[in-house]
Amino acid sequence: MFQAQVFTLYPEFFPGPLAKGLYGKALSNKLWNLNVVNIRDAATDKHKTVDDTPYGGGTGMLLKPDILAKSLDQRVKKDERIFYLSPKGKKFDQKFAKDLSKEKSISLICGHFEGVDERVLDTRNIEEISIGDYVLSGGETAALVVLDTILRLLPGVLGNKKSAIDETFENGLLEYPQYTKPQIWEEKPVPEVLLSGDHAKIKDWRLSQSEAITRDRRPDLWQKYKKN
Ligand code: SAH
């Protein structure tokens, strides 16, 4: 069973959308599990303080290293990879998700305010992950993105195994366009080839569509694909 652990100041964010549909089913079937830890529980003063002002000045507050470390040290397993969701981190992508889906367990730290004291990242060997080049107010939505991407790769979670194979990014290309009933909708018919029953022809058509879309929309992916 894949075990995820999230450290947050807002435990009510979780499992949130991850308890719906196939993920909810997989959660009750014990294909994965989520442990949510409230960082504030590690605070010791009467106000349950978790943050303080940055040395050297500047706006905002930082998560205190002693509090965060205490919270982590009580819960993180030996040799478990710990990730801090951070705009400065390594860019998260499908390959990264695939690697993480092979771990037995991972811990994710959601920052808030201006971030966390750097020393806790160094001393606890924490890896930083960014979900994109923009700044969120907190790491919770980023943790949900990371977990969503990993969960659909776990064996048995998606009903149809093949659905994860053809997809965008799996072969270095964006996915081809797809159509369902009705066959003619608002006077627009679905592409003729898809009705032909000729599987080889359909495969060729889909590949050429994937290539055209990738070339057009993502020159970066297209260059990589052409090299392989
Ligand atoms: N001052 C920090 C930003 C803090 S944003 C800086 O300039 O780097 C507040 C919190 O949101 C961060 O601690 C982090 O956990 C989360 N966060 C913001 N943007 C993110 C992103 N692109 N990916 C992952 N987490 C992000």
Side-chain angles (χ1 to χ4, degrees):
M1 171 170 50
F2 177 81
Q3 172 75 45
Q5 182 157 250
V6 178
F7 293 84
T8 173
L9 290 170
Y10 296 95
E12 63 278 11
F13 262 87
F14 301 94
L18 304 177
K20 303 273 180 268
L22 288 176
Y23 287 177
K25 227 188 209 166
L27 191 58
S28 43
N29 289 341
K30 300 198 168 20
L31 294 177
W32 70 287
N33 187 46
L34 180 65
N35 191 32
V36 183
V37 180
N38 189 346
I39 299 168
R40 200 173 292 279
D41 290 344
T44 45
D45 67 337
K46 100 165 175 271
H47 302 293
K48 293 268 170 205
T49 307
V50 291
D51 59 338
D52 214 324
T53 53
Y55 278 111
T59 54
M61 304 288 271
L62 291 174
L63 255 175
K64 283 158 59 62
D66 49 342
I67 304 298
L68 182 55
K70 185 178 164 208
S71 185
L72 293 170
D73 293 348
Q74 288 169 349
R75 308 276 187 161
V76 174
K77 296 188 195 81
K78 202 176 163 292
D79 298 329
E80 181 173 279
R81 290 174 77 182
I82 318 175
F83 299 93
Y84 167 49
L85 282 314
S86 155
K88 293 191 288 187
K90 181 176 168 202
K91 189 85 82 70
F92 185 66
D93 61 11
Q94 194 64 24
K95 185 177 168 299
F96 201 159
K98 250 190 189 161
D99 289 347
L100 294 190
S101 72
K102 290 174 193 140
E103 298 285 336
K104 270 206 195 78
S105 63
I106 59 167
S107 278
L108 300 174
I109 303 165
C110 305
H112 251 277
F113 325 117
E114 278 307 304
V116 305
D117 184 292
E118 193 71 23
R119 290 168 295 179
V120 75
L121 301 177
D122 297 338
T123 57
R124 299 306 188 268
N125 203 15
I126 294 168
E127 302 170 61
E128 294 183 57
I129 308 184
S130 166
I131 63 158
D133 290 343
Y134 37 78
V135 181
L136 304 164
S137 61
E140 285 75 16
T141 41
L144 289 171
V145 167
V146 167
L147 290 174
D148 186 337
T149 315
I150 294 172
L151 293 181
R152 58 198 302 290
L153 298 172
L154 299 177
V157 170
L158 288 192
N160 177 2
K161 267 197 211 134
K162 264 199 85 185
S163 60
I165 295 173
D166 260 2
E167 253 154 12
T168 294
F169 303 127
E170 281 303 314
N171 55 2
L173 293 171
L174 303 179
E175 196 182 55
Y176 44 80
Q178 304 235 60
Y179 304 87
T180 186
K181 293 186 183 78
Q183 194 179 319
I184 298 172
W185 176 73
E186 294 195 348
E187 290 165 31
K188 279 175 156 296
V190 308
E192 194 70 38
V193 58
L194 299 177
L195 310 174
S196 68
D198 183 337
H199 295 296
K201 227 162 102 185
I202 293 173
K203 211 171 151 203
D204 282 351
W205 180 83
R206 286 182 164 165
L207 179 63
S208 66
Q209 290 285 314
S210 271
E211 290 182 341
I213 292 170
T214 308
R215 197 183 317 123
D216 186 43
R217 296 187 190 172
R218 293 291 301 271
D220 56 325
L221 292 179
W222 180 244
Q223 288 307 325
K224 255 198 231 160
Y225 173 76
K226 272 204 316 194
K227 270 190 210 137
N228 292 332

